[in-house]
Amino acid sequence: EKHEEAAQLLFKGIVQSYCQANNIVVNREVNLGRGSVDFTFSNGYRQRALVEIKKLHNGRFWNGLSKQLLSYLKSDECKLGWYVVLRYKDGGLSKRWATDGPPYVRSLAKKHQVQLNTVTVDARPKASASKL
């Protein structure tokens, strides 16, 4: 398991070349007044997105979406947000996110009149193919 910062650096390393090739500016840890959003992406002013990355078992996981990301979207007057969920463990919150997450995200998006998207990265340890 890695710290969120390690996951953020890996994410930036993966998207950097794609963004350069497509004239998209990506910035990490941009302070939007209420704190730092993990990433901003822009292709001009009208085409912008904010990305927040959070471990699923982080004690502030739900706040990352309902408080942090929504606050950053409002501060930046941005309408598109992505919440990247890192799943390192089974059970508990993982099951709750799978069932409660999608309807919760839809209700937040509707209430705040923004487009919210989520993606879950399955980072749980896998058995080696040589041991199958």
Side-chain angles (χ1 to χ4, degrees):
E1 181 175 331
K2 300 290 185 187
H3 293 284
E4 283 177 7
E5 183 177 13
Q8 292 168 4
L9 291 171
L10 176 62
F11 179 79
K12 184 171 184 190
I14 292 169
V15 302
Q16 187 84 37
S17 294
Y18 174 81
C19 289
Q20 288 173 348
N22 290 282
N23 198 33
I24 298 170
V25 176
V26 59
N27 290 300
R28 183 170 175 264
E29 294 289 331
V30 176
N31 191 322
L32 297 175
R34 301 279 310 214
S36 297
V37 68
D38 292 336
F39 292 94
T40 63
F41 292 83
S42 65
N43 185 349
Y45 185 78
R46 289 187 185 97
Q47 295 180 338
R48 296 178 297 133
L50 305 182
V51 175
E52 186 69 22
I53 299 175
K54 195 70 73 185
K55 287 183 181 181
L56 185 52
H57 62 279
N58 182 313
R60 295 179 167 218
F61 173 78
W62 294 100
N63 284 347
L65 177 61
S66 65
K67 303 268 191 283
Q68 281 181 282
L69 184 55
L70 288 172
S71 174
Y72 301 148
L73 289 168
K74 184 177 180 180
S75 294
D76 199 40
E77 297 178 351
C78 183
K79 296 291 185 185
L80 176 57
W82 280 87
Y83 197 57
V84 178
V85 178
L86 305 175
R87 181 180 181 188
Y88 285 104
K89 301 176 182 181
D90 286 321
L93 196 53
S94 292
K95 289 181 182 178
R96 185 171 164 215
W97 173 249
T99 57
D100 297 348
Y104 182 63
V105 170
R106 285 191 299 273
S107 71
L108 284 175
K110 185 175 181 179
K111 178 180 177 183
H112 295 276
Q113 299 180 346
V114 294
Q115 183 180 343
L116 289 178
N117 301 288
T118 63
V119 62
T120 301
V121 177
D122 187 350
R124 294 174 293 173
K126 310 286 187 286
S128 170
S130 64
K131 297 184 181 187
L132 294 178

